[in-house]
Amino acid sequence: MAKKSVATLQTGSKRLTKAIKMVKSDKTGAYTFVEAIMAPEQVTDFLNKK
């Protein structure tokens, strides 16, 4: 299960969201964090994608 964190960023007229998810490596078993800044509509797809 991935841990989810979402923060909303506002820059001028564009509204952006920074999403962070924690992903477990199959090889080592260690957790890494994957960050992305995107439009709010794309957050659900990003968090559901492996």
Side-chain angles (χ1 to χ4, degrees), residues 2-39:
K3 182 178 180 180
K4 307 182 232 184
S5 175
V6 177
T8 302
L9 308 171
Q10 298 227 352
T11 57
S13 63
K14 287 191 174 183
R15 192 164 161 252
L16 300 174
T17 302
K18 180 178 183 180
I20 304 169
K21 81 176 159 179
M22 192 166 67
V23 180
K24 186 173 183 179
S25 171
D26 293 332
K27 188 182 275 186
T28 63
Y31 286 94
T32 58
F33 293 94
V34 179
E35 298 181 22
I37 297 175
M38 64 198 76

Side-chain angles (χ1 to χ4, degrees), residues 32-49:
T32 58
F33 293 94
V34 179
E35 298 181 22
I37 297 175
M38 64 198 76
E41 300 82 28
Q42 300 171 333
V43 172
T44 305
D45 294 335
F46 172 74
L47 293 175
N48 290 335
K49 186 172 54 171

